[in-house]
Amino acid sequence: MRILKRLSFSLLVVLLVVLVIATIAEKIYGTSYAFQYIYNSPVFVSLWIALALSALTYLIKRKIFRKPVTMLLHLSFIVILAGALFTHIYSTEGTIHLRKGDSKGMFIDSDGMGHKMPFSISLNRFQINYHTGSHLPSDYHSRVVITDEKESIDGDISMNNILKYRGYRFYQAGFDEDEEGVTLMVKHDPVGIAITYIGYSLLFISMSLFFFSSKTKFRTLIKNMQMNRALLILLFFMLNPFSSFSKESAKFLPEETTSKFDNINVMYNGRIAPLQTLMQDFMLKIYGSTYYQGHTSEEVLTGFMFFPDSWKGEKIIKVGDKRIRSILNIDGSYASINDLFDKDGNNKLDALDYNKISNDAKLVRAIDEISEKYSLAFMAMEGELFRVVPVREDKEIEWVSPKQASLGKDSLKIGEWLDAAKKSISEKRFSRIDSLISELRLYQSSVSGVSLPSEAKIKSELLYNRLRNHAPISITLIVIGVISFIYFGVLLLDMSKVKRTVVYLLNAILLCTFLYTTLLIALRWFIGGHIPVSNGFETMLFMSWSVTVLTLSLQRKFGIVLPFGLILSGFTLLVSTLGETNPQITYLVPVLSSPLLSIHVVVIMISYSLLAFMMLNGVMAFLIKCFSKECEMQIERLQIFSNILLYPALFLLATGIFIGAIWANISWGSYWGWDPKEVWALITMLIYSLALHQESLPLFRNKMFFHLFTIIAFLSVLFTYFGVNFILGGMHSYA
């Protein structure tokens, strides 16, 4: 049995190493290389088969069938691997191109080989659906007819809506430019998918039973863990971190007039939004903050529009690259519009010899970035940035800037709107500005009608814009979390020594953080029309929310989670702000418009939160070990706590991975594509699964080794979320 155990776990370690090498090889040599020489190679397939057989034999030798739930859990993975093997050997897939009225009974695989189907399929009609008031697609629909000897049926194929017939599955893959033809992905895998889905079902059943069975180690740990109590109260004040310095050289509109511009509708980022949103994103893009020396983005951008000359000397364009600063001849990190030009009025960037710098990718990117910022600044000064005028052409509505508009409405010529506003401001007739804005909004409503967002959505987005900057809150949470972390450590985790006032205060801060993140998520959800988990900013925001929920739920039993919750919630909020220069609320692309996406991301984020708690447990254990000699009991309690968290964390991660596989199968016909994010999520799951096998691997029963493992293993979580995005790339690099 010892040989079987060593063989099984050795093969698992070898598999982990191969998976890591595969992702690196894909980055260096390309995807086709990784698939040809690793993922699709006989050696890789044989490695999986050997691991499955050795593990199954070891389980039988250990008479694991005496523990039905544990046996069912392991058996589900065997079934999933068996399904994958059948798919690898017997499945066929390819594409079929249909023009309207065409009928075909064959599809072509990636090698150009034809595969005949026992029926024919023809295209009736292809249609693109758009989001209301936008030119962004919400879905693609192919209406088809399937004909065979027995029957003729109509079918509808769209993103996340496949057509299944006689073991064949059809997916929307592309369409012709004239929208009279489509490309469908075809997959024939009736056996492999069926076996795999049986495995998924067994996995979900076994994981659910695991928490209810009285004979599992998880239930034993729960019973033995000591209980602690703490109360929840409300107490937290949000501080405005911004100062109110101003410079006399830049001109601004009166504050009461500036605020009127917020409610103007503008076509921005593929959707209709309040002008305030564009203004804030503009400032984040060119300056890096929504405030400029105490002035709001609305004050700055209306200043750009109506007093452009006064802003040409303002240091408002952020320049990150030192070589660009040298080219522009500026000191510090900010440049003005005037800094772009030499004394003769020539653009300094135009003087660069691009043949000499073309091989310096970093410098080229820096030049492109600064050029984009200057272009945005010029567009703002000319009014071309603001597509506030809806123009109806036939049945389509195009949003353009006032200068591009040519229609008239009542006494106001929309095409001359900006000039009329500038004239009123020069004459200091600010009440006329209010009237012009009202006329413009009236015109927008008359042309766009129901495509305009509701008043409730506009107000919600304005509220969201006021709350969106949470950098100061995140830093405050981290500082308080670290202080409380040290405080709990000094007291050696003895909750009886912790002052009740401290517990009340920490709970109050966490509760207010929960309310704040809940409001942000709810607002983004309402404004965007989908659960906000589709990009890095949103997933980090949701993870912060998850951390506060978990902390408030666990703190009565495990008081140590209070500082952990503050640190993790603050850290995840801070990480989300790192990408906040471009966190626009957008419509989802059609393939992401699936409820499975939300479930997939939510479950995995909760899992990562629990694994982060385990990591901080490990850090706390080592700190206590360093500063106290009599600390065995505290370290053991931390190990028990981490063991309790390990089960739901790992099970949720597995659930998230396989829900993602189901979503992928529904969306593009393959439940596993060896994308780097998929591979590293699998690597993380396999690494943490080692800690569950403490009976077979006694080293994990050693308290300090276990805590060290939780710290090191968390690096795989960090790499899965951040490293893949920024280093390896792939389909999942948007999140």
Side-chain angles (χ1 to χ4, degrees):
M1 188 183 299
R2 183 176 296 178
I3 295 175
L4 273 174
K5 181 180 73 172
R6 290 179 177 175
L7 176 62
S8 299
F9 287 104
S10 296
L11 287 172
L12 179 58
V13 172
V14 171
L15 178 64
L16 285 169
V17 173
V18 171
L19 290 173
V20 172
I21 292 173
T23 59
I24 297 172
E26 182 176 358
K27 175 64 178 179
I28 297 174
Y29 300 110
T31 301
S32 59
Y33 178 92
F35 272 81
Q36 181 179 352
Y37 293 103
I38 301 178
Y39 296 131
N40 290 335
S41 69
V43 174
F44 187 69
V45 175
S46 300
L47 178 60
W48 278 105
I49 295 173
L51 175 59
L53 292 176
S54 63
L56 181 60
T57 307
Y58 177 58
L59 290 171
I60 294 172
K61 287 285 187 180
R62 287 196 63 223
K63 299 180 180 180
I64 199 72
F65 50 81
R66 294 176 179 175
K67 300 177 180 178
V69 176
T70 305
M71 184 64 188
L72 183 62
L73 179 66
H74 287 83
L75 183 62
S76 67
F77 285 104
I78 301 294
V79 175
I80 290 170
L81 289 176
L85 181 62
F86 271 89
T87 295
H88 178 74
I89 297 174
Y90 297 110
S91 70
T92 55
E93 61 179 282
T95 58
I96 184 170
H97 181 256
L98 297 173
R99 294 290 293 177
K100 190 174 180 179
D102 279 356
S103 180
K104 291 184 179 180
M106 180 183 293
F107 66 89
I108 308 299
D109 65 20
S110 58
D111 295 324
M113 297 290 293
H115 297 265
K116 191 174 181 180
M117 301 182 295
F119 54 86
S120 62
I121 183 171
S122 59
L123 177 66
N124 249 356
R125 179 166 58 92
F126 173 73
Q127 177 182 340
I128 303 177
N129 295 341
Y130 295 93
H131 291 285
T132 303
S134 168
H135 292 294
L136 291 180
S138 62
D139 210 344
Y140 307 101
H141 285 271
S142 295
R143 315 285 181 180
V144 298
V145 176
I146 290 180
T147 306
D148 67 7
E149 296 177 356
K150 298 179 181 179
E151 58 183 340
S152 178
I153 64 168
D154 295 327
D156 183 18
I157 305 170
S158 62
M159 304 305 295
N160 299 308
N161 179 39
I162 61 177
L163 176 64
K164 293 180 282 188
Y165 186 75
R166 294 182 62 177
Y168 289 83
R169 300 156 69 89
F170 297 89
Y171 308 78
Q172 185 71 48
F175 60 92
D176 297 348
E177 289 186 9
D178 61 1
E179 300 181 18
E180 293 293 315
V182 297
T183 299
L184 302 178
M185 180 182 291
V186 187
K187 185 149 189 174
H188 186 236
D189 181 26
V191 179
I193 290 178
I195 295 174
T196 302
Y197 276 27
I198 290 172
Y200 292 164
S201 301
L202 292 176
L203 177 65
F204 296 143
I205 292 170
S206 61
M207 289 191 299
S208 301
L209 292 174
F210 193 88
F211 292 105
F212 295 101
S213 175
S214 60
K215 296 182 180 180
T216 60
K217 186 178 178 181
F218 176 78
R219 293 295 294 272
T220 304
L221 289 168
I222 288 290
K223 291 176 182 177
N224 293 337
M225 191 67 187
Q226 295 181 356
M227 308 285 281
N228 290 305
R229 292 181 175 272
L231 300 175
L232 299 177
I233 62 172
L234 284 171
L235 177 69
F236 193 50
F237 296 96
M238 303 296 182
L239 301 176
N240 182 357
F242 303 108
S243 59
S244 57
F245 299 108
S246 63
K247 295 179 77 173
E248 293 298 324
S249 56
K251 293 182 180 180
F252 303 92
L253 289 176
E255 186 176 346
E256 60 274 12
T257 302
T258 302
S259 62
K260 299 288 183 12
F261 283 84
D262 292 348
N263 294 314
I264 296 176
N265 292 300
V266 61
M267 177 57 70
Y268 170 58
N269 206 31
R271 69 184 183 93
I272 302 172
L275 186 57
Q276 184 193 68
T277 300
L278 183 152
M279 291 175 168
Q280 290 197 355
D281 287 350
F282 171 86
M283 283 293 291
L284 285 168
K285 182 71 176 179
I286 72 164
Y287 185 63
S289 170
T290 57
Y291 279 73
Y292 173 69
Q293 298 183 347
H295 291 285
T296 65
S297 54
E298 296 92 310
E299 291 176 301
V300 172
L301 215 56
T302 50
F304 261 71
M305 280 193 289
F306 299 114
F307 310 109
D309 291 339
S310 72
W311 282 90
K312 289 180 179 178
E314 292 294 309
K315 302 283 187 179
I316 197 170
I317 298 177
K318 190 171 185 177
V319 184
D321 192 280
K322 292 182 179 179
R323 289 174 291 181
I324 300 296
R325 296 176 200 166
S326 176
I327 293 170
L328 297 179
N329 193 26
I330 59 171
D331 296 322
S333 301
Y334 294 90
S336 67
I337 297 290
N338 291 336
D339 289 328
L340 181 63
F341 303 99
D342 60 23
K343 60 182 180 179
D344 297 321
N346 299 314
N347 189 321
K348 295 177 182 177
L349 297 179
D350 289 343
L352 294 173
D353 187 347
Y354 280 86
N355 291 325
K356 292 183 178 180
I357 65 173
S358 59
N359 293 327
D360 191 338
K362 186 177 179 181
L363 180 58
V364 171
R365 282 197 302 270
I367 293 172
D368 290 341
E369 181 183 346
I370 196 67
S371 297
E372 182 185 7
K373 290 180 179 180
Y374 272 111
S375 295
L376 288 172
F378 289 129
M379 289 174 69
M381 288 180 170
E382 294 295 323
E384 295 177 4
L385 191 65
F386 312 104
R387 295 162 60 195
V388 296
V389 182
V391 177
R392 184 178 293 276
E393 297 180 0
D394 297 326
K395 294 182 179 180
E396 298 292 326
I397 297 176
E398 184 75 22
W399 286 70
V400 299
S401 69
K403 282 195 172 184
Q404 296 171 309
S406 59
L407 299 180
K409 177 67 177 176
D410 300 332
S411 60
L412 171 68
K413 284 188 177 181
I414 295 297
E416 299 173 0
W417 185 89
L418 190 59
D419 293 333
K422 287 181 177 180
K423 182 178 179 182
S424 299
I425 288 171
S426 66
E427 296 172 355
K428 296 188 177 181
R429 296 168 57 206
F430 298 114
S431 59
R432 174 60 177 153
I433 293 294
D434 297 348
S435 177
L436 285 169
I437 291 174
S438 297
E439 290 181 41
L440 178 58
R441 293 197 65 195
L442 210 66
Y443 176 78
Q444 290 179 336
S445 179
S446 66
V447 175
S448 297
V450 295
S451 66
L452 291 179
S454 66
E455 196 65 29
K457 280 197 174 185
I458 293 294
K459 289 181 179 179
S460 296
E461 189 157 353
L462 294 176
L463 174 61
Y464 173 80
N465 289 338
R466 287 195 290 272
L467 298 173
R468 66 191 288 185
N469 182 22
H470 44 249
I473 297 173
S474 61
I475 293 171
T476 302
L477 288 173
I478 292 172
V479 171
I480 295 174
V482 170
I483 293 172
S484 59
F485 183 85
I486 296 171
Y487 174 69
F488 277 60
V490 169
L491 298 179
L492 294 179
L493 309 181
D494 187 348
M495 292 302 295
S496 64
K497 296 179 181 179
V498 177
K499 291 184 179 180
R500 185 168 295 184
T501 306
V502 173
V503 176
Y504 287 169
L505 179 61
L506 297 183
N507 272 282
I509 294 172
L510 277 166
L511 183 58
C512 289
T513 305
F514 163 75
L515 295 174
Y516 172 72
T517 52
T518 300
L519 180 59
L520 286 183
I521 291 170
L523 289 171
R524 283 188 75 99
W525 191 342
F526 179 60
I527 297 162
H530 59 84
I531 300 177
V533 289
S534 60
N535 56 49
F537 170 81
E538 292 176 346
T539 52
M540 281 289 98
L541 179 61
F542 180 82
M543 188 169 176
S544 179
W545 179 86
S546 301
V547 166
T548 58
V549 172
L550 290 169
T551 305
L552 292 171
S553 302
L554 295 171
Q555 58 85 27
R556 295 187 67 183
K557 294 182 180 180
F558 317 109
I560 186 58
V561 302
L562 285 170
F564 292 176
L566 289 166
I567 293 172
L568 288 175
S569 183
F571 177 76
T572 48
L573 278 177
L574 184 63
V575 170
S576 73
T577 63
L578 299 179
E580 179 126 5
T581 52
N582 192 26
Q584 298 96 342
I585 300 172
T586 60
Y587 293 123
L588 284 180
V589 295
V591 73
L592 299 182
S593 299
S594 169
L596 289 177
L597 165 67
S598 305
I599 299 171
H600 166 66
V601 175
V602 166
V603 168
I604 287 182
M605 286 297 103
I606 295 174
S607 169
Y608 287 171
S609 301
L610 292 171
L611 296 176
F613 278 130
M614 290 173 56
M615 179 270 296
L616 288 175
N617 262 346
V619 173
M620 174 66 84
F622 274 93
L623 289 175
I624 292 175
K625 184 75 172 178
C626 291
F627 295 104
S628 176
K629 295 181 180 180
E630 300 179 359
C631 57
E632 288 302 310
M633 184 182 70
Q634 289 80 7
I635 291 175
E636 184 177 359
R637 290 185 74 245
L638 287 172
Q639 184 192 19
I640 293 172
F641 180 36
S642 288
N643 268 312
I644 290 173
L645 295 180
L646 177 61
Y647 288 92
L650 193 55
F651 288 175
L652 286 170
L653 180 58
T655 301
I657 289 172
F658 292 116
I659 287 175
I662 294 170
W663 170 43
N665 194 42
I666 292 173
S667 295
W668 48 75
S670 177
Y671 52 81
W672 195 263
W674 297 111
D675 181 74
K677 181 79 83 172
E678 293 175 349
V679 175
W680 271 93
L682 178 62
I683 289 171
T684 300
M685 186 184 79
L686 293 176
I687 288 174
Y688 276 98
S689 69
L690 293 171
L692 287 182
H693 298 84
Q694 295 182 13
E695 292 184 13
S696 299
L697 301 173
L699 189 60
F700 284 94
R701 296 201 290 269
N702 180 289
K703 292 185 285 292
M704 295 313 297
F705 176 82
F706 181 84
H707 288 305
L708 179 62
F709 171 80
T710 61
I711 296 171
I712 296 175
F714 193 69
L715 295 176
S716 69
V717 175
L718 294 177
F719 191 84
T720 301
Y721 190 84
F722 298 107
V724 172
N725 290 0
F726 298 113
I727 299 174
L728 299 181
M731 289 189 302
H732 291 76
S733 55
Y734 57 84

